[in-house]
Amino acid sequence: MEKFSLNGKWEINSNTYHTVGEVPGSVYSALLDNGLMDDPFYRDNEKTALAVMDEEFVFSKTFTYHKPSDCILLVCEGIDTLCDLYLNGKKVAHLENMHRAYEFDVTEYLVDGENTIKAVFPPYDAYIKEKTKEKCLPNGSSASMVGFGYVRKAFYMSGWDWGPMLPDAGIWKDIYLIDGTLPRITDVRITQRHEGEKVFVTATALSSRTAELRILFTTPEGRAFPLENGVEQEVANPQLWWPNGYGKQPLYTLTVECFHKGKSVDKTEKKIGLRTLIVSREKDEWGEEFCYKINGVKIFAMGADYIPEDNILSRLSRSRTEKLLQDCLFANFNSIRVWGGGFYPHDYFFELCDEMGIIVFIDLMFACTSLPRTQAFYENVKEEISQNLKRIRHHACIGVISGNNEIEEQVCYLEHFKEERQVYLELFEEIIPEIVKRECPEISFVPSSPSSHGKLQDPTNENVGDCHYWSVWHGNMPFTEYRNHYFRFLSEFGFQSFPSIKTIEQYTLPEDRNPFSPVMELHQRNAAANGKILSYLSQTYLYPTRMENLAYASQLLQAEAIKYGVEHLRRNRGRCMGALYWQLNDCWPVASWSSVDGYGRYKALHYEAKRFFEPIHISCEETGEYSSRWDITAERFFGYETKARLVVNNDTIQEVSGTVSWELRDNTGAVLQSGKAPLSVGALSYAALPELDFNKTDPRNHYVSFSFTVNGTVLSCGTALFTKPKHFNFINPNLQVSVSGDEITVTADTYAKYVYISNETDDLVLSDNFFDMNAGKKTVKILSGKATNLTVKSVYDVR
């Protein structure tokens, strides 16, 4: 389709600012590019950046155009968000939704020759405050600008409990003119039917006007053959698409080309994977399962929740998202959840998930707020959802669509808010399910996340549906509390930490580097959460006397907390079938629940995730101080049980047989007791050794190490303490590092826990880091970054 692009240089003006910016782009991107504002992520610059948006901004562009026909359409693929559009001084439309595209017939407004288009963006905060005077919408996000639910703008831009208040505005996607008299492809729908080992596909393409549509189907090897529009056809020698860890991701290409008077006038291409993928909801002895069933195989979902990668959308790119999703593969993810308070990801996000084998649990873009009950709002979101479902439905990676994030749970608490409950039921139990049924009935749908039965019936029931669990962290419960729950699919749970000290240094001055300084508290959006980190730290580690060690210790807390949850769920595979921790990434540098911080540095959790999401993984369910008492003054001061239950998970499609080895060691690493046992673990299951009882061994000086070995190769290993790290008598391991080519070797004189290797910029990515080691040597691979000016530390250094 031939487009007359309106991208490029636009004038951007307000009472204060007069500059030129790039489109796609925004107010913030233009001001930053022209040196007219400071980095909003640095120190407390967010405050002045927020004040910028109290002004009205006008984007304008003059262009020369000659009308090729008597029907010219203006296409706006993405406008953020409140906007009045003008062409040659005449108002074309008022827009209020950044999540959808708009198309307008502008023939009457255009002239042959010079034209001027103008987009006027009024102050967002003033608009939602005025709306709130009419009616205040209850919401569950105290860290956000009041009234954000009124506008179809990415909610996180109004602030969240991990993100800043930066309600940018602009033209964030392509804008162009097209000839409306020429036919163009308006819809392509691809369906599959699987019958035994046979696969049939049907491609149905529609055009805006009568035209010849040709469809070509190309195999992963490049062999192409035509398909008849709307007619089912069998795929010869079909190659199935599998998620990461279960097989390959072969993709077929469907090309639709539109011809008018023998000339190609439009073309589109979509890649698909041949597979069946549903959320299985079979009844069982515990209630009702909730698990991905891919090509007939029920898999355990392993991954995290994804939020927008930046507040300034023009900085997003395919390569940046590819790097983040590669980080997911590094940590053995097979799943990811797109959280509903951001925006519908770009096409390349889903294309990359297809290529990498990452199943996507996607919320529609509603989160934590009641919504207005007006026909205009309903019609607006109907179009938004229809457009986006048509755009993404063909992707092999789409596993389940959720109507929203946490609104059902929130509305259940609003017993006396009858209108809010009615809006919820109308939108998420009637209107949206009907759209999903019409546009993509083959994709599993749930009205909300979390949700059990829907219709505001007990949405947090852990025996049915997916769950969000926050008693560990928000509820101040100990890590062991996870072991008292058997969630069918835990799609949100988390624990905070500070980012890398090098990230902290990038947004602070030296005088800011105290957890309770104004700048550090501004870069912590969960109320009083820096204090919560220190509270949990006081229960677990010695008090760190330097900010560098505080950041390190907080990351160890986070890693340990999520490890407790994930390993417990995996030890109950079958009943529990998913663990997606909150959260994968950040949109700016901040203390948060992420495992990859705002500048892309791995926290300890990301390396721990690589281990606890191993397809074949050994874990230890220890009985000790964590599970026996809250603190050292508790009743059982003079001793407690010290036991260990070793469990091997096998989330592959082949049985695995090997040897489980264990050693009870003293704090030097010397072996006091040891044992070995053969163990066979069936495909997609787990097996355990009989519980080991160490008869109240000395918990302050003894620990257990364990491993699972197959054909002489250690596939998984770890260590466990029977006491809290602050009570264990760690000896200085005198850690030393040496570099040889692409390898780093660490030498320890004694037992060392959470060994952390870093370089001067902390951008080193290793095959393993933040690991435990017995006395001796351990070698890791350098995957990226320079191994120069290395430092190494362990829990011994937290003091």
Side-chain angles (χ1 to χ4, degrees):
M1 176 173 56
E2 187 173 336
K3 303 174 183 177
F4 183 88
S5 176
L6 296 173
N7 291 351
K9 300 292 184 184
W10 285 58
E11 291 186 11
I12 301 175
N13 294 288
S14 71
N15 287 337
T16 304
Y17 301 96
H18 306 280
T19 189
V20 173
E22 286 288 330
V23 165
S26 67
V27 171
Y28 286 154
S29 66
L31 297 184
L32 286 167
D33 289 346
N34 288 283
L36 298 175
M37 70 179 286
D38 294 324
D39 178 4
F41 294 172
Y42 183 68
R43 300 196 77 223
D44 59 356
N45 288 347
E46 175 197 352
K47 297 176 184 177
T48 53
L50 176 60
V52 166
M53 301 312 298
D54 288 337
E55 297 191 36
E56 177 181 272
F57 280 85
V58 178
F59 285 48
S60 61
K61 182 183 183 74
T62 298
F63 60 97
T64 300
Y65 185 75
H66 296 283
K67 293 188 280 188
S69 74
D70 59 0
C71 180
I72 306 300
L73 303 178
L74 172 65
V75 180
C76 309
E77 292 192 353
I79 304 289
D80 176 21
T81 294
L82 299 169
C83 177
D84 291 317
L85 269 180
Y86 296 85
L87 196 52
N88 293 326
K90 298 177 181 178
K91 187 172 181 178
V92 176
H94 172 72
L95 313 181
E96 290 194 8
N97 194 333
M98 72 174 288
H99 300 301
R100 55 169 289 193
Y102 289 91
E103 182 181 292
F104 306 105
D105 186 337
V106 293
T107 312
E108 64 179 293
Y109 307 119
L110 282 167
V111 298
D112 282 325
E114 188 172 270
N115 296 268
T116 299
I117 187 170
K118 185 168 66 172
V120 180
F121 297 92
Y124 166 72
D125 190 35
Y127 179 88
I128 59 175
K129 281 179 177 174
E130 193 62 32
K131 284 288 188 181
T132 301
K133 289 179 183 178
E134 301 170 15
K135 178 180 174 61
C136 185
L137 297 174
N139 78 79
S141 178
S142 59
S144 304
M145 300 165 74
V146 175
F148 68 87
Y150 275 107
V151 182
R152 296 305 297 145
K153 180 180 183 69
F155 289 166
Y156 82 106
M157 291 180 170
S158 298
W160 217 260
D161 57 5
W162 38 257
M165 294 180 183
L166 294 173
D168 205 356
I171 303 170
W172 74 292
K173 290 186 177 181
D174 292 340
I175 182 168
Y176 50 87
L177 298 169
I178 60 172
D179 183 347
T181 65
L182 294 177
R184 65 190 190 281
I185 300 163
T186 55
D187 191 24
V188 178
R189 186 166 189 163
I190 309 161
T191 58
Q192 304 177 29
R193 183 169 64 86
H194 292 245
E195 189 178 279
E197 295 184 356
K198 295 182 178 181
V199 179
F200 303 84
V201 296
T202 304
T204 304
L206 301 176
S207 58
S208 59
R209 294 170 181 257
T210 302
E212 179 188 0
L213 296 173
R214 299 177 190 173
I215 304 174
L216 202 64
F217 194 65
T218 306
T219 69
E221 296 78 25
R223 297 190 302 274
F225 55 91
L227 293 181
E228 188 175 346
N229 196 357
V231 177
E232 183 179 81
Q233 187 165 328
E234 184 177 356
V235 179
N237 304 312
Q239 303 171 54
L240 297 185
W241 183 93
W242 291 93
N244 179 40
Y246 293 89
K248 297 181 179 180
Q249 295 80 42
L251 296 174
Y252 291 75
T253 303
L254 187 97
T255 306
V256 181
E257 196 163 6
C258 180
F259 290 83
H260 177 66
K261 296 180 179 180
K263 180 183 176 182
S264 176
V265 293
D266 197 9
K267 186 177 181 179
T268 189
E269 187 176 282
K270 297 181 183 295
K271 291 186 180 294
I272 68 167
L274 304 180
R275 90 290 185 265
T276 60
L277 176 54
I278 63 167
V279 172
S280 177
R281 306 293 298 265
E282 293 180 12
K283 305 289 186 185
D284 59 23
E285 60 188 294
W286 302 289
E288 182 180 289
E289 73 177 4
F290 190 104
C291 73
Y292 291 134
K293 188 175 182 180
I294 173 83
N295 300 325
V297 177
K298 295 178 180 179
I299 70 165
F300 190 102
M302 298 187 282
D305 298 291
Y306 166 87
I307 65 169
E309 297 170 50
D310 207 319
N311 279 84
I312 299 171
L313 301 184
S314 60
R315 298 199 292 217
L316 303 179
S317 66
R318 184 186 184 98
S319 60
R320 180 172 174 177
T321 298
E322 183 172 16
K323 169 63 171 65
L324 184 60
L325 292 175
Q326 287 287 356
D327 294 340
C328 294
L329 294 187
F330 171 87
N332 291 307
F333 285 23
N334 60 34
S335 303
I336 197 169
R337 173 172 170 254
V338 177
W339 170 75
F343 55 86
Y344 300 94
H346 292 81
D347 290 340
Y348 56 71
F349 174 89
F350 301 101
E351 291 165 1
L352 290 165
C353 287
D354 286 345
E355 294 168 10
M356 297 181 188
I358 300 174
I359 297 176
V360 177
F361 183 136
I362 182 169
D363 293 344
L364 302 180
M365 292 302 121
F366 305 90
C368 302
T369 183
S370 296
L371 299 163
R373 192 186 188 195
T374 68
Q375 194 59 37
F377 183 85
Y378 283 9
E379 293 303 318
N380 198 2
V381 298
K382 283 180 187 179
E383 183 61 25
E384 164 197 325
I385 294 165
S386 180
Q387 285 185 13
N388 282 286
L389 292 184
K390 287 180 179 180
R391 179 171 66 89
I392 70 173
R393 65 189 175 192
H394 67 281
H395 286 285
C397 63
I398 304 296
V400 60
I401 297 166
S402 161
N404 65 78
N405 173 78
E406 294 183 350
I407 300 180
E408 181 180 11
E409 180 181 11
Q410 174 184 309
V411 170
C412 279
Y413 296 120
L414 302 175
E415 294 183 11
H416 303 297
F417 290 74
K418 293 183 179 179
E419 183 172 318
E420 282 73 13
R421 294 169 72 89
Q422 189 60 37
V423 170
Y424 178 85
L425 291 170
E426 288 172 354
L427 268 178
F428 298 106
E429 294 287 354
E430 297 175 15
I431 293 171
I432 292 175
E434 185 58 37
I435 297 172
V436 174
K437 184 178 179 181
R438 182 183 73 235
E439 302 296 352
C440 48
E442 67 279 5
I443 300 176
S444 295
F445 173 78
V446 293
S448 184
S449 178
S451 186
S452 55
H453 304 284
K455 294 182 170 56
L456 306 180
Q457 296 180 34
D458 193 14
T460 58
N461 186 336
E462 66 183 61
N463 293 311
V464 182
D466 75 310
C467 283
H468 298 184
Y469 180 73
W470 286 102
S471 290
V472 176
W473 182 255
H474 288 309
N476 299 309
M477 297 298 287
F479 305 159
T480 49
E481 182 64 18
Y482 285 117
R483 296 178 180 173
N484 295 323
H485 301 273
Y486 300 87
F487 308 102
R488 307 317 301 265
F489 191 108
L490 192 53
S491 53
E492 198 178 298
F493 64 111
F495 196 94
Q496 275 205 8
S497 72
F498 293 107
S500 160
I501 187 62
K502 295 301 179 183
T503 293
I504 292 172
E505 289 172 358
Q506 283 182 254
Y507 68 81
T508 62
L509 292 173
E511 58 264 33
D512 301 324
R513 293 165 199 159
N514 181 294
F516 303 115
S517 74
V519 170
M520 290 294 289
E521 290 194 332
L522 189 66
H523 287 255
Q524 164 58 273
R525 308 314 281 251
N526 183 211
N530 286 353
K532 189 184 290 286
I533 291 173
L534 266 67
S535 174
Y536 270 102
L537 189 145
S538 72
Q539 300 168 41
T540 311
Y541 289 104
L542 296 177
Y543 186 77
T545 55
R546 294 184 298 147
M547 187 67 212
E548 178 181 349
N549 279 347
L550 174 58
Y552 167 66
S554 76
Q555 292 189 20
L556 306 189
L557 277 174
Q558 180 189 37
E560 194 77 6
I562 303 307
K563 176 184 177 182
Y564 260 84
V566 171
E567 290 189 335
H568 167 68
L569 295 173
R570 291 193 70 183
R571 286 193 291 263
N572 289 276
R573 192 195 193 284
R575 184 176 184 178
C576 310
M577 288 300 286
L580 306 180
Y581 65 79
W582 183 269
Q583 64 207 63
L584 169 64
N585 61 304
D586 284 319
C587 63
W588 75 318
V590 64
S592 81
W593 298 272
S594 70
S595 63
V596 179
D597 77 21
Y599 288 141
R601 295 182 173 100
Y602 289 3
K603 297 182 182 179
L605 172 57
H606 208 70
Y607 284 100
E608 193 67 76
K610 184 177 189 287
R611 293 187 287 267
F612 60 56
F613 283 152
E614 294 167 325
I616 298 171
H617 178 67
I618 187 169
S619 66
C620 176
E621 184 178 6
E622 92 295 338
T623 299
E625 185 175 22
Y626 271 122
S627 55
S628 300
R629 66 186 191 189
W630 282 79
D631 59 58
I632 201 168
T633 62
E635 181 180 353
R636 284 167 280 186
F637 173 75
F638 294 105
Y640 41 81
E641 298 294 331
T642 54
K643 299 178 181 180
R645 177 173 172 259
L646 300 177
V647 180
V648 175
N649 280 90
N650 176 18
D651 275 283
T652 73
I653 57 175
Q654 302 292 332
E655 182 184 58
V656 62
S657 296
T659 301
V660 174
S661 303
W662 60 267
E663 302 82 31
L664 181 68
R665 300 173 182 264
D666 67 17
N667 56 353
T668 70
V671 176
L672 305 176
Q673 298 178 40
S674 64
K676 292 184 178 182
L679 190 68
S680 293
V681 190
L684 308 171
S685 67
Y686 66 92
L689 293 187
E691 187 174 55
L692 302 169
D693 189 345
F694 294 110
N695 298 310
K696 296 187 179 181
T697 191
D698 181 358
R700 297 194 64 191
N701 293 289
H702 297 169
Y703 71 99
V704 64
S705 60
F706 48 88
S707 62
F708 183 60
T709 303
V710 176
N711 297 326
T713 300
V714 176
L715 298 187
S716 181
C717 62
T719 74
L721 302 178
F722 297 108
T723 188
K724 297 175 181 179
K726 66 179 181 178
H727 295 152
F728 191 81
N729 290 324
F730 287 104
I731 300 171
N732 187 349
N734 296 310
L735 296 172
Q736 302 291 323
V737 293
S738 61
V739 181
S740 177
D742 65 348
E743 293 183 337
I744 298 175
T745 297
V746 183
T747 303
D749 292 345
T750 65
Y751 173 50
K753 190 163 184 63
Y754 282 126
V755 174
Y756 167 42
I757 307 165
S758 62
N759 63 6
E760 55 198 343
T761 52
D762 199 21
D763 61 356
L764 200 60
V765 177
L766 305 174
S767 59
D768 199 9
N769 209 350
F770 295 94
F771 51 78
D772 297 350
M773 64 181 294
N774 303 311
K777 295 184 177 182
K778 180 178 171 73
T779 298
V780 296
K781 289 280 189 181
I782 302 168
L783 303 182
S784 68
K786 294 181 179 180
T788 54
N789 297 318
L790 297 180
T791 59
V792 60
K793 66 175 62 175
S794 70
V795 171
Y796 173 81
D797 297 293
V798 179
R799 58 188 65 231

